[in-house]
Amino acid sequence: MREIKIAKNAGFCFGVKNAVETAEKMIHDYRGERLIMLGELTHNSKVVNDLLEGGFEIADNASEVPDNSLVIVRAHGITPNEMRILEQKKCKIFDCTCPFVKKIHNIVREQSLSGKNIIVIGTKGHPEVVGICGEAVNSEVAVISSTEELNSVKFPIDNCCIVSQTTFSKETFDKIVKNIKNKFAKITFFDTICNTTANRQREAAELSEVSDVMLVLGSSHSSNTKKLYDICASRLSETYLLESIDMLDELLSSGKVGSEARIGITAGASTPEIILLEVVRKMSENEINFGDYVDSIPQLRRNAVVKGAITSADDDYVYVDVRDKSEGRIPKEEFANDVDFDLDAAIAEKREIEVQVKSIKNTEFGKEIILSKQALEMSKNKAIVEQAFNDKKPVNVKVVRTTKKKDGLIAIYSGIEVYIHKTQIDLRPVSEDAIDSYIGQELTVLLTRFEEQDRRLKVSGSRRTLLSDELKAKKAATLSVLEVGKTITGKVKNFASFGAFIDIGGFEALLPNKYASWERNAKASDIMQEGDEVQVTVIDIADIEASRPKITLSYRKDEDNPYYNIEERIPVGSIVMGKVVRIIDWAAFIELEPGVDAQCHVSAISNVRIATPADVLKVGMDVKAKVLEIKDGKNDQKKILVSIKAVEPIDPENDEFYVPESSEEVAAEEVAEEVSAEENA
């Protein structure tokens, strides 16, 4: 006994079925009037002959249509110019253009008006392609059916729009698109191959690979039928195109179809089910009715749980083969929420998944089957989420979007949405401007709400609670080791005019500008940036028992102090060279090293009494002096006293008005001036 398998998507597509049913209704409703088919309604001689017997006439183009007649436009569509001609002839138009074809017309018209040239991947001269090309009113258009034909396009294609005939080979289309993408970056692609066509071609390929004989039913003039035949023949040599029952009789009598053969059957979009029925009856030894095959397909119902294979996706939906005439579709956002699901890999593998049927309804585009992957997973994952809530166990969630009001985030945990209010995202409320930056991030939260209201599960989470607990633990650990003189690592948080605030284990400590560097007038912001990790030393702690103790830090290091170990480098009694850098009334300041100044009293410059150091010294002058004394100064610096007179006194060139000083006068002046200097420093 022969094993017979029929492709689910064999036979009339929605567009052809709608056109044939409309024509049959016109015959019933408008008897005696001129009924015109603009071109053969379908590539099936039996269907066309039945319509002609019912009263229809065929016109090859709009100019041949009689005035005031009733005209049916087939699923392939027509050009805008032909439509204008029909309107001028005051015809009553029954436009049965397939909605998918109309979509292509709209795309081409919009892209053409925007200035883009058009490439149609399809069969030259095909009625559908002719209609599509007619929409290119503001640009050039070319039709190709292979990558080789790209070379024949006479206009630049680096910035054009590419569409496809709805019934074109998906396999060939993908090859052409891949070739173009490898060469040009600015091409706009629209994959306009009808889903039903793509599924029909895919099923034909799969069925031919598991059959001994493949039968393709339909007209040799039908584009989609010929493509089905090519697909099957490329995989199975025993593939036959049958245009009539008589051809089947010839095939059976030839002995090419064995009694034990596995037979696969598919049919083009223009082939009515009655022909499929006749073929099955002929092929079956037990007179199996075609209806038996239809009935064997599981009937979908709302809320049913079914398995199906993922076949394709567009911007809005993922399409699933659920063993029905029409594919089911799942909103694509359901997959975006599943961070572990690789959609591209699932499509490539035709991966089978379990889904729930949300709704089924008939529309002008055919049967619409809405599925949900998330709804089914909801019941499975609900227990996981509830357990985490009850155990108060932190969980990792992924943020997928903000709320419409921007008052919080929506994250996903085990396929279930978790709401995080903006006050619970961080230790401080997050602003509307900053909230979008969390999209795509993974956060650890504590589930704070789990309840069902009106059959809806409401789950909330808080990151702030965990951050607050972490901060308390961090502060406790910091306080246990915090002491004056301890060097610790901190992170620069922000700056103020008087210094920087450093995070040291949960506390914000102050680094005053004067403790940021040994350089005079330096600021913390000149030395470090926000976010830097720095080594700092605790120099003061106040209000240690308070929630916010006052902690003062220093970034300066002893070894960086210009006066560090100065007594060893420049000992008392040593002779030094220096440069005069500043002069005041009673003393000159001499730079011995970068950042190290010494003070030379006016009385220790010359052998004679001078009124001011400026009488004999100038800024920038190099001098030699003897170190007299080194003592502690302010801000961890040293005060170095030197004498020029003790080495090489500098006397005025004209000293007739100067007199030697008595030691008592000099001592009295030095004491008075040092006291004054200390008070003014």
Side-chain angles (χ1 to χ4, degrees):
M1 176 179 175
R2 299 185 182 104
E3 179 186 341
I4 301 173
K5 289 186 178 180
I6 301 176
K8 294 189 301 295
N9 285 289
F12 274 168
C13 68
F14 166 78
V16 174
K17 184 178 181 181
N18 176 59
V20 172
E21 289 178 350
T22 301
E24 290 172 346
K25 189 173 188 301
M26 290 171 65
I27 291 173
H28 179 272
D29 294 345
Y30 299 98
R31 287 191 178 277
E33 298 195 41
R34 296 290 297 271
L35 305 179
I36 307 295
M37 279 186 275
L38 194 53
E40 290 188 352
L41 197 64
T42 178
H43 293 300
N44 183 274
S45 57
K46 182 181 186 309
V47 174
V48 173
N49 288 336
D50 287 346
L51 294 177
L52 292 175
E53 289 178 6
F56 266 96
E57 303 172 44
I58 297 178
D60 291 330
N61 53 66
S63 61
E64 296 179 2
V65 174
D67 292 352
N68 302 307
S69 56
L70 280 67
V71 182
I72 185 168
V73 175
R74 57 189 169 183
H76 295 316
I78 57 176
T79 66
N81 185 54
E82 285 186 300
M83 187 65 77
R84 282 192 292 271
I85 292 173
L86 294 178
E87 291 171 349
Q88 289 168 2
K89 288 174 175 284
K90 297 182 180 180
C91 296
K92 184 172 183 178
I93 302 168
F94 294 80
D95 189 357
C96 292
T97 304
C98 172
F100 294 109
V101 176
K102 283 186 177 180
K103 179 181 178 182
I104 305 175
H105 284 206
N106 293 334
I107 291 171
V108 170
R109 188 184 315 113
E110 291 172 2
Q111 295 292 316
S112 176
L113 290 174
S114 71
K116 288 194 174 185
N117 292 326
I118 309 297
I119 293 179
V120 181
I121 299 178
T123 303
K124 292 178 182 176
H126 188 280
E128 179 187 321
V129 174
V130 172
I132 293 170
C133 293
E135 296 289 349
V137 295
N138 199 37
S139 59
E140 295 188 73
V141 62
V143 179
I144 64 172
S145 57
S146 67
T147 55
E148 291 75 19
E149 291 183 15
L150 278 172
N151 298 324
S152 65
V153 177
K154 297 181 180 179
F155 52 79
I157 63 175
D158 58 339
N159 188 26
C160 65
C161 166
I162 295 183
V163 297
S164 172
Q165 180 182 345
T166 58
T167 56
F168 196 73
S169 166
K170 177 66 173 172
E171 185 177 0
T172 306
F173 174 81
D174 290 340
K175 287 181 182 178
I176 296 173
V177 168
K178 183 178 180 181
N179 184 283
I180 295 175
K181 283 184 176 179
N182 289 336
K183 296 179 180 178
F184 305 101
K186 296 182 179 180
I187 302 292
T188 303
F189 289 95
F190 293 92
D191 184 352
T192 52
I193 293 178
C194 173
N195 284 329
T196 302
T197 298
N199 292 336
R200 191 191 306 269
Q201 293 172 0
R202 173 180 54 80
E203 289 175 355
E206 293 172 353
L207 194 53
S208 63
E209 290 174 352
V210 296
S211 301
D212 299 318
V213 176
M214 194 71 195
L215 305 182
V216 181
L217 313 183
S219 170
S220 59
H221 301 293
S222 167
S223 173
N224 71 84
T225 300
K226 286 190 290 184
K227 289 181 178 66
L228 288 175
Y229 175 79
D230 291 341
I231 289 170
C232 296
S234 67
R235 292 164 172 80
L236 180 63
S237 60
E238 299 299 318
T239 297
Y240 302 96
L241 176 62
L242 303 182
E243 296 189 75
S244 66
I245 294 297
D246 292 340
M247 293 180 70
L248 176 61
D249 291 335
E250 293 175 10
L251 180 64
L252 291 174
S253 62
S254 69
K256 294 180 180 180
V257 182
S259 59
E260 300 295 327
R262 295 172 299 171
I263 301 169
I265 301 177
T266 187
S270 301
T271 306
E273 290 183 356
I274 188 64
I275 293 180
L276 276 166
L277 174 61
E278 290 299 321
V279 169
V280 171
R281 283 178 174 163
K282 286 274 186 180
M283 296 296 297
S284 173
E285 295 178 348
N286 296 320
E287 296 295 320
I288 297 175
N289 190 293
F290 175 72
D292 296 336
Y293 289 91
V294 176
D295 292 339
S296 68
I297 299 174
Q299 294 298 308
L300 300 179
R301 66 182 188 282
R302 190 170 178 272
N303 295 326
V305 176
V306 297
K307 287 184 178 181
I310 296 177
T311 60
S312 61
D314 56 25
D315 291 341
D316 301 314
Y317 294 98
V318 173
Y319 296 89
V320 180
D321 179 359
V322 287
R323 299 182 64 201
D324 191 88
K325 280 278 188 177
S326 299
E327 283 192 314
R329 55 185 181 177
I330 304 172
K332 199 170 185 179
E333 62 186 24
E334 290 196 12
F335 291 85
N337 291 346
D338 190 341
V339 296
D340 299 321
F341 195 92
D342 188 336
L343 180 57
D344 292 335
I347 293 172
E349 299 166 6
K350 298 294 186 286
R351 187 181 304 167
E352 190 172 73
I353 61 171
E354 203 170 38
V355 293
Q356 184 176 0
V357 181
K358 300 296 292 181
S359 66
I360 304 174
K361 61 181 179 180
N362 293 317
T363 70
E364 62 175 339
F365 296 97
K367 187 187 291 186
E368 181 182 80
I369 305 170
I370 302 298
L371 309 172
S372 176
K373 167 177 166 287
Q374 202 174 67
L376 187 61
E377 291 175 345
M378 175 79 75
S379 59
K380 294 180 179 179
N381 296 329
K382 179 180 173 183
I384 298 174
V385 177
E386 185 174 17
Q387 188 67 43
F389 170 75
N390 292 333
D391 293 347
K392 299 190 182 302
K393 172 187 172 183
V395 297
N396 294 323
V397 302
K398 182 164 185 178
V399 180
V400 294
R401 64 180 186 278
T402 64
T403 60
K404 291 182 180 179
K405 295 181 179 179
K406 297 278 188 179
D407 65 351
L409 303 172
I410 301 298
I412 299 297
Y413 172 61
S414 289
I416 292 178
E417 292 187 351
V418 178
Y419 170 62
I420 308 170
H421 191 266
K422 64 182 179 182
T423 61
Q424 301 301 313
I425 299 172
D426 211 329
L427 291 171
R428 294 184 176 89
V430 177
S431 67
E432 284 189 14
D433 295 335
I435 199 167
D436 284 334
S437 65
Y438 286 88
I439 297 175
Q441 290 191 34
E442 289 192 7
L443 305 178
T444 302
V445 301
L446 187 69
L447 300 182
T448 56
R449 181 188 185 191
F450 180 91
E451 60 183 52
E452 288 186 86
Q453 289 185 355
D454 301 326
R455 296 184 180 180
R456 291 186 62 191
L457 186 62
K458 295 192 175 182
V459 182
S460 300
S462 171
R463 180 169 174 255
R464 179 184 177 184
T465 301
L466 296 178
L467 293 177
S468 180
D469 291 342
E470 288 176 9
L471 183 60
K472 288 177 183 177
K474 190 184 292 185
K475 284 183 174 181
T478 301
L479 284 176
S480 67
V481 297
L482 197 65
E483 58 185 28
V484 173
K486 189 175 184 66
T487 298
I488 56 178
T489 301
K491 180 177 283 190
V492 180
K493 297 291 288 184
N494 49 55
F495 296 101
S497 59
F498 47 83
F501 289 99
I502 312 293
D503 182 347
I504 53 167
F507 293 104
E508 284 193 3
L510 175 64
L511 171 62
N513 284 329
K514 67 178 181 179
Y515 292 123
S517 172
W518 290 105
E519 295 182 18
R520 294 189 182 97
N521 302 319
K523 292 184 178 181
S525 57
D526 298 331
I527 300 165
M528 54 192 68
Q529 297 180 344
E530 288 186 17
D532 285 353
E533 284 196 350
V534 292
Q535 294 288 315
V536 288
T537 302
V538 179
I539 59 175
D540 188 46
I541 304 174
D543 301 330
I544 190 66
E545 300 298 331
S547 60
R548 298 181 66 183
K550 297 177 181 178
I551 304 168
T552 306
L553 307 173
S554 173
Y555 186 62
R556 302 186 311 191
K557 297 178 177 61
D558 289 341
E559 57 268 28
D560 295 335
N561 186 349
Y563 291 92
Y564 179 72
N565 207 19
I566 196 70
E567 292 89 345
E568 296 179 13
R569 292 187 285 112
I570 308 177
V572 173
S574 61
I575 306 302
V576 294
M577 288 294 297
K579 185 186 295 290
V580 178
V581 293
R582 188 161 60 97
I583 298 174
I584 59 176
D585 289 343
W586 54 271
F589 292 89
I590 302 165
E591 183 183 64
L592 305 182
E593 294 178 357
V596 176
D597 291 350
Q599 176 184 314
C600 184
H601 191 268
V602 66
S603 63
I605 298 173
S606 178
N607 283 326
V608 297
R609 183 170 183 174
I610 55 178
T612 174
D615 290 344
V616 294
L617 299 178
K618 291 182 179 179
V619 172
M621 182 183 292
D622 292 325
V623 297
K624 186 183 291 185
K626 181 179 181 179
V627 179
L628 301 178
E629 183 181 5
I630 300 176
K631 56 185 179 180
D632 291 336
K634 292 185 175 181
N635 296 327
D636 296 324
Q637 297 184 358
K638 298 288 185 178
K639 185 173 184 180
I640 304 173
L641 302 179
V642 298
S643 172
I644 296 174
K645 183 170 68 174
V647 183
E648 292 180 358
I650 303 175
D651 297 332
E653 292 181 4
N654 183 4
D655 60 356
E656 61 179 294
F657 297 108
Y658 293 90
V659 295
E661 300 174 296
S662 68
S663 59
E664 292 82 3
E665 290 174 326
V666 170
E669 280 187 13
E670 287 180 353
V671 171
E673 288 166 353
E674 280 200 26
V675 170
S676 174
E678 293 289 346
E679 291 174 350
N680 295 327

